[in-house]
Amino acid sequence: MMFFGLEWYWWLLIAAVLAVSIPFKMKFVKWWSRREQEKKQHGKWGDDE
């Protein structure tokens, strides 16, 4: 049984990789936004932007 030229086990592998990578991506995005906010706060000289 093939979908788009790939066997079923390749789709299973792709789904497993996506399921594992999404939480890591969420953690990275949160870490990156926190890092950017810290950079902005250290670069400020007052409350003006």
Side-chain angles (χ1 to χ4, degrees), residues 2-45:
M2 294 176 69
F3 295 105
F4 300 112
L6 294 176
E7 291 288 339
W8 66 270
Y9 50 83
W10 286 114
W11 287 111
L12 191 64
L13 181 69
I14 291 169
V17 168
L18 285 175
V20 168
S21 67
I22 287 172
F24 285 111
K25 181 180 181 248
M26 301 278 281
K27 267 190 169 182
F28 176 77
V29 167
K30 284 182 183 177
W31 172 80
W32 187 261
S33 64
R34 197 177 327 121
R35 182 176 171 264
E36 289 297 313
Q37 282 181 348
E38 287 175 3
K39 269 188 176 181
K40 283 183 183 176
Q41 287 177 355
H42 290 303
K44 284 186 178 177
W45 283 55

